[in-house]
Amino acid sequence: MHYYMPTTVVMGDHCIFEHRSRLKELGNKVLIVTGRNSAHANGSYADLVQALNANGQTHCCYDQVMSNPTVDCVFAAAELAREEHCDGVIAIGGGSPIDAAKVAAALAVQPVERSALFSSVFSRALPMAAVPTTAGTGAEVTPNGVITNDAAQTKTSVASPALFPRLAFLDARYMQGLPRRITINTAIDALSHAIEGMLSVRSSPVSDALARASIRAIADCFTALEEETPGHPIREKLLWASNLAGMVIANTGTIAIHAMGYMLTYFRRIDHGRANGLLLGRYLQRVHAQDTRRIQDILAALGIPDLETFTETLDRLLGIEETGEAFDAAELASYADRASQAKNITNSVIPPSRDALLAVFRESLFSPSRNSMPKPPQSLSP
Amino acid sequence: MHYYMPTTVVMGDHCIFEHRSRLKELGNKVLIVTGRNSAHANGSYADLVQALNANGQTHCCYDQVMSNPTVDCVFAAAELAREEHCDGVIAIGGGSPIDAAKVAAALAVQPVERSALFSSVFSRALPMAAVPTTAGTGAEVTPNGVITNDAAQTKTSVASPALFPRLAFLDARYMQGLPRRITINTAIDALSHAIEGMLSVRSSPVSDALARASIRAIADCFTALEEETPGHPIREKLLWASNLAGMVIANTGTIAIHAMGYMLTYFRRIDHGRANGLLLGRYLQRVHAQDTRRIQDILAALGIPDLETFTETLDRLLGIEETGEAFDAAELASYADRASQAKNITNSVIPPSRDALLAVFRESLFSPSRNSMPKPPQSLSP
């Protein structure tokens, strides 16, 4: 077993300005990597620029990161960092800008061919800070940048200890305006990270401690998420819960659920957190047939008596947008084929067969609460 | 709030040899810092030398660290590192060799006058690995080296982020021969770290998650500790629990309990973990009068219904060695005076007054199970 998470995490309202002196370790000039709008709307961009100015640091900005960042986007950001002679990188946003910034920070000092991006080993990167503006990915404390891989028709993780941000600033004020739907999808993403970490072959007593705390905190917020747009205390709880879950997957990686979810995101543009949430309940029901102890451990952290209740809760939180009828058999078979090749599969304590993956896709998308075709729970082996 | 713990932690039987390639980052020649006997008796020294030899790394050894390491000892080890041109340091032992090695690793590259040791700021140190051979201090994941400070007549912590070991190897086989008494004292030290972390002004959701898991694991071992010499599964559980507790105090620091315990250790040579354990129950009883919520959180993690039961459990585990009659009033008054000056006091969520410290000393050492003079629980304020 193994544990490593070297990022300095700073938490609290106005933490960027309060701890601005820490930004000096990124150097004289930094590249800010973000999306087009949200960093301006939620105040994080202004806070960061104020802190940099107070430090006498200059900056330039790449603000073209879209959801599910592309290879083009990370190469463009890296190119800008080189042209502008940036000493460090600061990402603001959800998982996409943070993931893009990590890979750009590596490419800025270790250029590779586009075709070699997913096979390259990055041993260094510009020093980096991350300011999450959603409470979901935990990317601010992981060594992974997940990039859309069109050659392989999925999302692929570029991973290296060099990609850990040096600094993460967690200020829940930036989430205050997030719509309920994004809040739920990102919270479910974090929940999936924590749960997947407990079902990973790389779980450890440290990762399990962090995972249980994360699961408990997110489950504590379920009622608030169902009923209303959350206020600041709930936002803050979800933010540190997603951060804990990020520390978990930084060490355990994700498992089959993410491999399956990437299919729904790549081919159907279903939001990443939502995609995981659609699959999570039925996947756990299959694990339960083979590993009752771990599932009981997860249920205890959730404070929920059984997986059926948990699955219903997820369905209620996520609502119905896509139904089984939208997916034909050949499409789901192709997703199962592709997902079964992902390395996340062998990272699962009970590696699911291709047929088990197909069954989880079918049970999840054709669930009783969505339409027809209920299936009895079965195991993950063929 | 703030969290940082950059050490890579590797766990498991034979983990030094299995992960020996990681030792290469310490450089060509390393100084091994340890005590006189235990590293040879428990097999850790041989395992380490085998791994270094397999890597083609050379080593020399400073094996004169005693319990509660002295200023002389850390300067001697640093001198040896310089004379032998060592590139890195590896500590094997309980808290004393690890603490001594940290400070020696700093002094090796940043020499200071003896008189300036406790006032110096260390910005760098030789890269270091730690191999704990007791399950207590968690020093393998903290940025502190606690050294006997004769000028101030206490133990004083030298602290700097540069003192975090790069690597920690956790192999419970090295604890197998530890006597029951050392096993208990060190386990109670770890328990005190986790509990103190939850009562620190610097606690965070991350440190609390780690602390609860550590407390729960140690409390799970109470029965085994009362009844027998623990076997390997209990040893391993205590080892990672002490490691989690180390991650806690790396971020929260310790509080008044450690400040008081140092008095009993410095002036009475009472073992460090035992000293904390003697004071822990009655200290918590006083906190309870002012902060019920945190105490309930700690009791829930302990799985123990009330503080009286917890205090009795500690008394039973520690046994009776010193009684109140051995301490006169002037002596305890002097301990309270000194402890009230320690910086750990202001690190406590409810900073105890000097009189409250004196009362905890008296209640702890003159407890009903020790001899006479029971006192009703009171608050920490005067």
Side-chain angles (χ1 to χ4, degrees), chain A residues 1-12 19 22 204-206 209-210 212-213 216 240 243-244 247, chain B residues 1-12 19 22 204-206 209-210 212-213 216 236 240 243-244 247:
Chain A
M1 285 184 294
H2 170 269
Y3 179 80
Y4 180 57
M5 203 298 289
T7 307
T8 296
V9 181
V10 177
M11 292 176 265
H19 297 272
R22 292 179 180 273
S204 75
V206 188
L210 298 167
R212 286 190 201 100
R216 188 170 300 121
W240 64 252
N243 186 254
L244 290 171
M247 295 182 191
Chain B
M1 285 185 295
H2 169 268
Y3 180 81
Y4 179 58
M5 203 298 289
T7 307
T8 296
V9 181
V10 177
M11 291 176 264
H19 296 272
R22 291 179 181 273
S204 74
V206 187
L210 298 167
R212 286 191 202 99
R216 187 171 299 120
E236 191 156 66
W240 64 253
N243 185 254
L244 290 171
M247 295 182 190

Tab-separated table of all heavy atoms in Angstrom, chain A residues 1-12 19 22 204-206 209-210 212-213 216 240 243-244 247, chain B residues 1-12 19 22 204-206 209-210 212-213 216 236 240 243-244 247:
chain	number	residue	atom	x	y	z
A	1	MET	N	0.835	-1.198	0.000
A	1	MET	CA	0.000	0.000	0.000
A	1	MET	C	0.872	1.252	0.000
A	1	MET	O	2.006	1.215	0.448
A	1	MET	CB	-0.901	-0.026	1.231
A	1	MET	CG	-2.051	-1.016	1.087
A	1	MET	SD	-3.165	-0.937	2.483
A	1	MET	CE	-2.088	-1.528	3.782
A	2	HIS	N	0.273	2.346	-0.401
A	2	HIS	CA	1.043	3.522	-0.752
A	2	HIS	C	0.142	4.743	-0.616
A	2	HIS	O	-1.021	4.694	-0.994
A	2	HIS	CB	1.496	3.297	-2.204
A	2	HIS	CG	2.100	4.491	-2.857
A	2	HIS	ND1	1.343	5.388	-3.578
A	2	HIS	CD2	3.375	4.922	-2.900
A	2	HIS	CE1	2.160	6.334	-4.046
A	2	HIS	NE2	3.373	6.090	-3.643
A	3	TYR	N	0.673	5.834	-0.051
A	3	TYR	CA	-0.107	7.067	0.038
A	3	TYR	C	0.809	8.262	-0.237
A	3	TYR	O	1.889	8.379	0.339
A	3	TYR	CB	-0.756	7.231	1.417
A	3	TYR	CG	-1.550	8.509	1.513
A	3	TYR	CD1	-2.835	8.586	0.979
A	3	TYR	CD2	-0.998	9.653	2.067
A	3	TYR	CE1	-3.548	9.766	1.003
A	3	TYR	CE2	-1.714	10.843	2.094
A	3	TYR	CZ	-2.983	10.889	1.569
A	3	TYR	OH	-3.681	12.070	1.582
A	4	TYR	N	0.332	9.182	-1.093
A	4	TYR	CA	1.104	10.384	-1.425
A	4	TYR	C	0.154	11.465	-1.924
A	4	TYR	O	-0.634	11.225	-2.849
A	4	TYR	CB	2.133	10.051	-2.509
A	4	TYR	CG	2.998	11.214	-2.949
A	4	TYR	CD1	3.770	11.925	-2.036
A	4	TYR	CD2	3.063	11.592	-4.286
A	4	TYR	CE1	4.573	12.979	-2.441
A	4	TYR	CE2	3.870	12.642	-4.704
A	4	TYR	CZ	4.616	13.329	-3.780
A	4	TYR	OH	5.416	14.371	-4.186
A	5	MET	N	0.218	12.620	-1.318
A	5	MET	CA	-0.607	13.746	-1.774
A	5	MET	C	0.063	15.021	-1.291
A	5	MET	O	-0.157	15.473	-0.179
A	5	MET	CB	-2.028	13.624	-1.210
A	5	MET	CG	-3.083	14.382	-2.013
A	5	MET	SD	-2.818	16.163	-2.086
A	5	MET	CE	-3.217	16.618	-0.380
A	6	PRO	N	0.937	15.585	-2.130
A	6	PRO	CA	1.822	16.665	-1.670
A	6	PRO	C	1.265	18.079	-1.803
A	6	PRO	O	1.970	19.040	-1.488
A	6	PRO	CB	3.028	16.500	-2.600
A	6	PRO	CG	2.417	16.054	-3.892
A	6	PRO	CD	1.247	15.165	-3.502
A	7	THR	N	0.022	18.220	-2.266
A	7	THR	CA	-0.535	19.561	-2.462
A	7	THR	C	-0.826	20.241	-1.121
A	7	THR	O	-1.356	19.608	-0.215
A	7	THR	CB	-1.846	19.463	-3.276
A	7	THR	OG1	-1.599	18.741	-4.469
A	7	THR	CG2	-2.414	20.835	-3.595
A	8	THR	N	-0.492	21.514	-1.023
A	8	THR	CA	-0.921	22.309	0.130
A	8	THR	C	-2.342	22.781	-0.124
A	8	THR	O	-2.608	23.451	-1.122
A	8	THR	CB	-0.006	23.537	0.315
A	8	THR	OG1	1.307	23.085	0.613
A	8	THR	CG2	-0.506	24.428	1.445
A	9	VAL	N	-3.264	22.413	0.758
A	9	VAL	CA	-4.673	22.781	0.607
A	9	VAL	C	-5.004	23.888	1.602
A	9	VAL	O	-4.754	23.745	2.802
A	9	VAL	CB	-5.594	21.573	0.869
A	9	VAL	CG1	-7.054	21.966	0.691
A	9	VAL	CG2	-5.234	20.418	-0.060
A	10	VAL	N	-5.539	24.977	1.090
A	10	VAL	CA	-5.938	26.103	1.926
A	10	VAL	C	-7.446	26.263	1.770
A	10	VAL	O	-7.960	26.178	0.659
A	10	VAL	CB	-5.191	27.380	1.493
A	10	VAL	CG1	-5.654	28.567	2.305
A	10	VAL	CG2	-3.698	27.181	1.621
A	11	MET	N	-8.151	26.428	2.865
A	11	MET	CA	-9.616	26.452	2.822
A	11	MET	C	-10.156	27.675	3.521
A	11	MET	O	-9.576	28.122	4.512
A	11	MET	CB	-10.174	25.225	3.571
A	11	MET	CG	-9.908	23.913	2.908
A	11	MET	SD	-10.497	22.503	3.931
A	11	MET	CE	-8.976	22.072	4.787
A	12	GLY	N	-11.286	28.162	3.050
A	12	GLY	CA	-11.991	29.221	3.766
A	12	GLY	C	-12.349	30.393	2.863
A	12	GLY	O	-11.730	30.604	1.810
A	19	HIS	N	-4.030	34.053	1.836
A	19	HIS	CA	-2.802	33.266	1.707
A	19	HIS	C	-2.055	33.599	0.404
A	19	HIS	O	-1.379	32.752	-0.161
A	19	HIS	CB	-3.134	31.769	1.759
A	19	HIS	CG	-3.722	31.343	3.065
A	19	HIS	ND1	-2.952	30.942	4.124
A	19	HIS	CD2	-5.013	31.282	3.491
A	19	HIS	CE1	-3.742	30.635	5.153
A	19	HIS	NE2	-4.992	30.833	4.798
A	22	ARG	N	1.629	32.683	-0.653
A	22	ARG	CA	1.986	31.363	-1.164
A	22	ARG	C	2.085	31.333	-2.689
A	22	ARG	O	2.787	30.507	-3.260
A	22	ARG	CB	0.961	30.324	-0.725
A	22	ARG	CG	0.990	30.057	0.760
A	22	ARG	CD	-0.066	29.042	1.133
A	22	ARG	NE	-0.043	28.790	2.553
A	22	ARG	CZ	0.737	27.891	3.155
A	22	ARG	NH1	1.550	27.149	2.433
A	22	ARG	NH2	0.718	27.739	4.448
A	204	SER	N	-6.278	1.966	0.873
A	204	SER	CA	-5.407	1.812	2.050
A	204	SER	C	-6.172	2.343	3.255
A	204	SER	O	-7.213	2.991	3.101
A	204	SER	CB	-4.121	2.611	1.862
A	204	SER	OG	-4.370	3.992	2.029
A	205	PRO	N	-5.679	2.095	4.459
A	205	PRO	CA	-6.360	2.680	5.626
A	205	PRO	C	-6.467	4.207	5.532
A	205	PRO	O	-7.446	4.786	5.994
A	205	PRO	CB	-5.451	2.265	6.790
A	205	PRO	CG	-4.799	1.008	6.334
A	205	PRO	CD	-4.576	1.199	4.859
A	206	VAL	N	-5.472	4.843	4.926
A	206	VAL	CA	-5.526	6.303	4.800
A	206	VAL	C	-6.621	6.710	3.819
A	206	VAL	O	-7.468	7.559	4.125
A	206	VAL	CB	-4.168	6.874	4.339
A	206	VAL	CG1	-4.202	8.388	4.403
A	206	VAL	CG2	-3.032	6.326	5.179
A	209	ALA	N	-10.068	6.131	5.240
A	209	ALA	CA	-10.462	7.130	6.247
A	209	ALA	C	-10.995	8.387	5.565
A	209	ALA	O	-12.034	8.936	5.956
A	209	ALA	CB	-9.273	7.479	7.150
A	210	LEU	N	-10.282	8.832	4.535
A	210	LEU	CA	-10.712	10.026	3.810
A	210	LEU	C	-12.018	9.759	3.066
A	210	LEU	O	-12.915	10.612	3.018
A	210	LEU	CB	-9.616	10.454	2.831
A	210	LEU	CG	-8.276	10.841	3.472
A	210	LEU	CD1	-7.181	10.940	2.411
A	210	LEU	CD2	-8.397	12.160	4.232
A	212	ARG	N	-14.465	7.552	3.758
A	212	ARG	CA	-15.638	7.467	4.636
A	212	ARG	C	-16.107	8.865	5.045
A	212	ARG	O	-17.305	9.150	5.071
A	212	ARG	CB	-15.310	6.650	5.884
A	212	ARG	CG	-15.217	5.162	5.615
A	212	ARG	CD	-15.145	4.359	6.923
A	212	ARG	NE	-14.577	3.056	6.652
A	212	ARG	CZ	-13.301	2.722	6.882
A	212	ARG	NH1	-12.473	3.600	7.430
A	212	ARG	NH2	-12.865	1.525	6.578
A	213	ALA	N	-15.149	9.726	5.371
A	213	ALA	CA	-15.515	11.088	5.779
A	213	ALA	C	-16.178	11.832	4.626
A	213	ALA	O	-17.147	12.581	4.822
A	213	ALA	CB	-14.280	11.840	6.270
A	216	ARG	N	-19.749	10.370	4.063
A	216	ARG	CA	-20.647	10.803	5.141
A	216	ARG	C	-21.083	12.256	4.926
A	216	ARG	O	-22.251	12.594	5.062
A	216	ARG	CB	-19.950	10.642	6.498
A	216	ARG	CG	-20.850	10.888	7.697
A	216	ARG	CD	-20.159	10.480	9.001
A	216	ARG	NE	-19.807	9.077	8.987
A	216	ARG	CZ	-18.572	8.578	9.118
A	216	ARG	NH1	-17.541	9.407	9.283
A	216	ARG	NH2	-18.354	7.291	9.086
A	240	TRP	N	-15.265	20.591	0.655
A	240	TRP	CA	-14.189	19.826	1.283
A	240	TRP	C	-14.414	18.337	1.134
A	240	TRP	O	-13.472	17.555	1.069
A	240	TRP	CB	-13.861	20.280	2.690
A	240	TRP	CG	-14.847	20.164	3.783
A	240	TRP	CD1	-15.526	21.189	4.375
A	240	TRP	CD2	-15.258	18.977	4.477
A	240	TRP	NE1	-16.334	20.697	5.376
A	240	TRP	CE2	-16.194	19.355	5.462
A	240	TRP	CE3	-14.927	17.623	4.359
A	240	TRP	CZ2	-16.803	18.437	6.324
A	240	TRP	CZ3	-15.539	16.711	5.207
A	240	TRP	CH2	-16.457	17.119	6.171
A	243	ASN	N	-12.914	17.558	-2.051
A	243	ASN	CA	-11.465	17.610	-1.883
A	243	ASN	C	-10.941	16.322	-1.243
A	243	ASN	O	-9.947	15.737	-1.699
A	243	ASN	CB	-11.117	18.840	-1.043
A	243	ASN	CG	-9.627	19.074	-0.927
A	243	ASN	OD1	-9.037	18.837	0.118
A	243	ASN	ND2	-8.997	19.502	-1.992
A	244	LEU	N	-11.609	15.849	-0.179
A	244	LEU	CA	-11.221	14.573	0.433
A	244	LEU	C	-11.305	13.446	-0.592
A	244	LEU	O	-10.416	12.580	-0.665
A	244	LEU	CB	-12.156	14.244	1.607
A	244	LEU	CG	-12.042	15.086	2.873
A	244	LEU	CD1	-13.188	14.761	3.829
A	244	LEU	CD2	-10.726	14.820	3.569
A	247	MET	N	-8.349	13.458	-2.759
A	247	MET	CA	-7.183	12.835	-2.113
A	247	MET	C	-7.278	11.312	-2.190
A	247	MET	O	-6.265	10.619	-2.294
A	247	MET	CB	-7.107	13.255	-0.643
A	247	MET	CG	-6.850	14.733	-0.440
A	247	MET	SD	-6.716	15.115	1.345
A	247	MET	CE	-6.754	16.906	1.279
B	1	MET	N	-8.175	27.538	7.090
B	1	MET	CA	-7.705	26.180	7.346
B	1	MET	C	-6.684	25.773	6.298
B	1	MET	O	-6.661	26.307	5.199
B	1	MET	CB	-8.905	25.234	7.334
B	1	MET	CG	-9.747	25.356	8.602
B	1	MET	SD	-11.073	24.148	8.633
B	1	MET	CE	-12.067	24.708	7.237
B	2	HIS	N	-5.914	24.766	6.621
B	2	HIS	CA	-4.718	24.494	5.854
B	2	HIS	C	-4.366	23.022	6.045
B	2	HIS	O	-4.477	22.492	7.147
B	2	HIS	CB	-3.625	25.407	6.438
B	2	HIS	CG	-2.255	25.104	5.972
B	2	HIS	ND1	-1.426	24.244	6.656
B	2	HIS	CD2	-1.562	25.528	4.897
B	2	HIS	CE1	-0.261	24.169	6.016
B	2	HIS	NE2	-0.326	24.930	4.949
B	3	TYR	N	-3.975	22.351	4.965
B	3	TYR	CA	-3.542	20.952	5.076
B	3	TYR	C	-2.341	20.704	4.168
B	3	TYR	O	-2.353	21.075	2.993
B	3	TYR	CB	-4.682	19.982	4.695
B	3	TYR	CG	-4.236	18.536	4.809
B	3	TYR	CD1	-4.209	17.896	6.042
B	3	TYR	CD2	-3.790	17.848	3.692
B	3	TYR	CE1	-3.750	16.599	6.165
B	3	TYR	CE2	-3.330	16.537	3.799
B	3	TYR	CZ	-3.318	15.928	5.034
B	3	TYR	OH	-2.853	14.641	5.154
B	4	TYR	N	-1.311	20.041	4.717
B	4	TYR	CA	-0.117	19.733	3.926
B	4	TYR	C	0.594	18.555	4.555
B	4	TYR	O	0.889	18.563	5.757
B	4	TYR	CB	0.813	20.947	3.900
B	4	TYR	CG	2.100	20.759	3.141
B	4	TYR	CD1	2.084	20.395	1.792
B	4	TYR	CD2	3.332	20.965	3.754
B	4	TYR	CE1	3.274	20.236	1.086
B	4	TYR	CE2	4.522	20.815	3.051
B	4	TYR	CZ	4.493	20.450	1.721
B	4	TYR	OH	5.655	20.297	1.022
B	5	MET	N	0.869	17.529	3.781
B	5	MET	CA	1.603	16.366	4.277
B	5	MET	C	2.218	15.672	3.069
B	5	MET	O	1.584	14.845	2.440
B	5	MET	CB	0.665	15.425	5.045
B	5	MET	CG	1.388	14.522	6.044
B	5	MET	SD	2.574	13.397	5.274
B	5	MET	CE	1.455	12.260	4.439
B	6	PRO	N	3.452	16.059	2.720
B	6	PRO	CA	4.027	15.647	1.438
B	6	PRO	C	4.791	14.330	1.458
B	6	PRO	O	5.361	13.944	0.429
B	6	PRO	CB	4.988	16.808	1.136
B	6	PRO	CG	5.491	17.193	2.499
B	6	PRO	CD	4.310	17.011	3.433
B	7	THR	N	4.821	13.645	2.604
B	7	THR	CA	5.591	12.403	2.685
B	7	THR	C	4.911	11.285	1.884
B	7	THR	O	3.699	11.125	1.959
B	7	THR	CB	5.716	11.959	4.156
B	7	THR	OG1	6.240	13.038	4.917
B	7	THR	CG2	6.590	10.725	4.303
B	8	THR	N	5.704	10.513	1.150
B	8	THR	CA	5.190	9.290	0.528
B	8	THR	C	5.209	8.188	1.574
B	8	THR	O	6.266	7.870	2.126
B	8	THR	CB	6.065	8.876	-0.664
B	8	THR	OG1	5.984	9.887	-1.667
B	8	THR	CG2	5.587	7.551	-1.261
B	9	VAL	N	4.039	7.612	1.857
B	9	VAL	CA	3.932	6.555	2.861
B	9	VAL	C	3.748	5.216	2.155
B	9	VAL	O	2.854	5.073	1.316
B	9	VAL	CB	2.729	6.800	3.800
B	9	VAL	CG1	2.636	5.698	4.850
B	9	VAL	CG2	2.830	8.160	4.457
B	10	VAL	N	4.607	4.266	2.489
B	10	VAL	CA	4.528	2.927	1.910
B	10	VAL	C	4.268	1.968	3.076
B	10	VAL	O	4.882	2.098	4.130
B	10	VAL	CB	5.843	2.577	1.195
B	10	VAL	CG1	5.796	1.160	0.662
B	10	VAL	CG2	6.107	3.566	0.081
B	11	MET	N	3.324	1.069	2.887
B	11	MET	CA	2.912	0.190	3.988
B	11	MET	C	2.947	-1.264	3.575
B	11	MET	O	2.664	-1.579	2.417
B	11	MET	CB	1.454	0.501	4.379
B	11	MET	CG	1.253	1.839	5.024
B	11	MET	SD	-0.529	2.171	5.338
B	11	MET	CE	-0.934	3.128	3.862
B	12	GLY	N	3.233	-2.130	4.531
B	12	GLY	CA	3.108	-3.562	4.274
B	12	GLY	C	4.354	-4.332	4.679
B	12	GLY	O	5.453	-3.763	4.779
B	19	HIS	N	9.934	-1.720	-2.109
B	19	HIS	CA	9.945	-0.363	-2.675
B	19	HIS	C	11.338	0.260	-2.574
B	19	HIS	O	11.472	1.474	-2.464
B	19	HIS	CB	8.909	0.506	-1.955
B	19	HIS	CG	7.501	0.044	-2.142
B	19	HIS	ND1	6.712	0.444	-3.193
B	19	HIS	CD2	6.740	-0.832	-1.432
B	19	HIS	CE1	5.523	-0.140	-3.110
B	19	HIS	NE2	5.518	-0.923	-2.052
B	22	ARG	N	12.739	3.466	-4.372
B	22	ARG	CA	12.437	4.821	-3.893
B	22	ARG	C	13.579	5.408	-3.064
B	22	ARG	O	13.727	6.622	-2.977
B	22	ARG	CB	11.172	4.818	-3.039
B	22	ARG	CG	9.926	4.545	-3.834
B	22	ARG	CD	8.712	4.537	-2.936
B	22	ARG	NE	7.519	4.259	-3.710
B	22	ARG	CZ	6.808	5.187	-4.332
B	22	ARG	NH1	7.149	6.454	-4.265
B	22	ARG	NH2	5.741	4.856	-5.034
B	204	SER	N	-9.136	20.724	10.853
B	204	SER	CA	-9.831	20.964	9.585
B	204	SER	C	-10.651	19.722	9.270
B	204	SER	O	-10.477	18.685	9.913
B	204	SER	CB	-8.815	21.200	8.465
B	204	SER	OG	-8.197	19.975	8.092
B	205	PRO	N	-11.529	19.790	8.290
B	205	PRO	CA	-12.264	18.573	7.913
B	205	PRO	C	-11.324	17.428	7.544
B	205	PRO	O	-11.635	16.268	7.802
B	205	PRO	CB	-13.088	19.023	6.711
B	205	PRO	CG	-13.282	20.487	6.904
B	205	PRO	CD	-12.007	20.974	7.539
B	206	VAL	N	-10.181	17.744	6.944
B	206	VAL	CA	-9.241	16.690	6.562
B	206	VAL	C	-8.620	16.073	7.808
B	206	VAL	O	-8.602	14.843	7.976
B	206	VAL	CB	-8.135	17.233	5.635
B	206	VAL	CG1	-7.282	16.083	5.115
B	206	VAL	CG2	-8.713	18.030	4.491
B	209	ALA	N	-11.098	13.973	9.729
B	209	ALA	CA	-11.378	12.672	9.101
B	209	ALA	C	-10.292	11.667	9.472
B	209	ALA	O	-10.575	10.519	9.827
B	209	ALA	CB	-11.462	12.829	7.579
B	210	LEU	N	-9.053	12.106	9.391
B	210	LEU	CA	-7.936	11.225	9.735
B	210	LEU	C	-7.951	10.906	11.230
B	210	LEU	O	-7.689	9.762	11.632
B	210	LEU	CB	-6.612	11.891	9.346
B	210	LEU	CG	-6.430	12.171	7.845
B	210	LEU	CD1	-5.249	13.111	7.611
B	210	LEU	CD2	-6.246	10.881	7.066
B	212	ARG	N	-10.543	10.826	13.378
B	212	ARG	CA	-11.616	9.888	13.753
B	212	ARG	C	-11.230	8.458	13.386
B	212	ARG	O	-11.460	7.527	14.160
B	212	ARG	CB	-12.921	10.273	13.058
B	212	ARG	CG	-13.573	11.495	13.639
B	212	ARG	CD	-15.002	11.679	13.095
B	212	ARG	NE	-15.393	13.063	13.253
B	212	ARG	CZ	-15.346	13.979	12.287
B	212	ARG	NH1	-14.945	13.651	11.065
B	212	ARG	NH2	-15.698	15.220	12.529
B	213	ALA	N	-10.658	8.283	12.209
B	213	ALA	CA	-10.274	6.929	11.787
B	213	ALA	C	-9.187	6.376	12.701
B	213	ALA	O	-9.189	5.187	13.052
B	213	ALA	CB	-9.803	6.949	10.333
B	216	ARG	N	-10.751	5.510	16.151
B	216	ARG	CA	-11.580	4.297	16.056
B	216	ARG	C	-10.687	3.053	16.016
B	216	ARG	O	-10.957	2.051	16.698
B	216	ARG	CB	-12.459	4.375	14.802
B	216	ARG	CG	-13.488	3.253	14.694
B	216	ARG	CD	-14.470	3.511	13.548
B	216	ARG	NE	-15.201	4.742	13.757
B	216	ARG	CZ	-15.193	5.804	12.930
B	216	ARG	NH1	-14.480	5.772	11.819
B	216	ARG	NH2	-15.885	6.882	13.213
B	236	GLU	N	-0.331	-4.104	13.056
B	236	GLU	CA	-0.465	-3.352	11.808
B	236	GLU	C	-1.527	-2.254	11.956
B	236	GLU	O	-1.344	-1.135	11.473
B	236	GLU	CB	-0.829	-4.326	10.688
B	236	GLU	CG	-0.726	-3.699	9.327
B	236	GLU	CD	-0.502	-4.752	8.251
B	236	GLU	OE1	-1.420	-5.560	8.038
B	236	GLU	OE2	0.586	-4.758	7.634
B	240	TRP	N	-0.744	1.814	11.400
B	240	TRP	CA	-1.323	2.813	10.500
B	240	TRP	C	-2.169	3.821	11.263
B	240	TRP	O	-2.289	4.980	10.857
B	240	TRP	CB	-1.994	2.213	9.283
B	240	TRP	CG	-3.193	1.341	9.427
B	240	TRP	CD1	-3.234	-0.014	9.251
B	240	TRP	CD2	-4.544	1.736	9.720
B	240	TRP	NE1	-4.513	-0.475	9.438
B	240	TRP	CE2	-5.348	0.567	9.714
B	240	TRP	CE3	-5.159	2.950	9.988
B	240	TRP	CZ2	-6.712	0.587	9.974
B	240	TRP	CZ3	-6.521	2.973	10.247
B	240	TRP	CH2	-7.278	1.799	10.234
B	243	ASN	N	0.180	6.356	12.258
B	243	ASN	CA	0.551	7.127	11.073
B	243	ASN	C	-0.522	8.166	10.741
B	243	ASN	O	-0.215	9.341	10.468
B	243	ASN	CB	0.772	6.153	9.911
B	243	ASN	CG	1.282	6.824	8.653
B	243	ASN	OD1	0.546	6.984	7.694
B	243	ASN	ND2	2.534	7.236	8.664
B	244	LEU	N	-1.786	7.754	10.776
B	244	LEU	CA	-2.884	8.714	10.568
B	244	LEU	C	-2.822	9.834	11.604
B	244	LEU	O	-3.000	11.009	11.275
B	244	LEU	CB	-4.238	8.007	10.684
B	244	LEU	CG	-4.641	7.037	9.578
B	244	LEU	CD1	-5.909	6.267	9.978
B	244	LEU	CD2	-4.898	7.778	8.283
B	247	MET	N	-0.275	12.311	10.677
B	247	MET	CA	-0.758	13.245	9.641
B	247	MET	C	-1.633	14.322	10.273
B	247	MET	O	-1.649	15.466	9.818
B	247	MET	CB	-1.575	12.489	8.585
B	247	MET	CG	-0.769	11.495	7.780
B	247	MET	SD	-1.835	10.694	6.526
B	247	MET	CE	-0.721	9.388	5.974
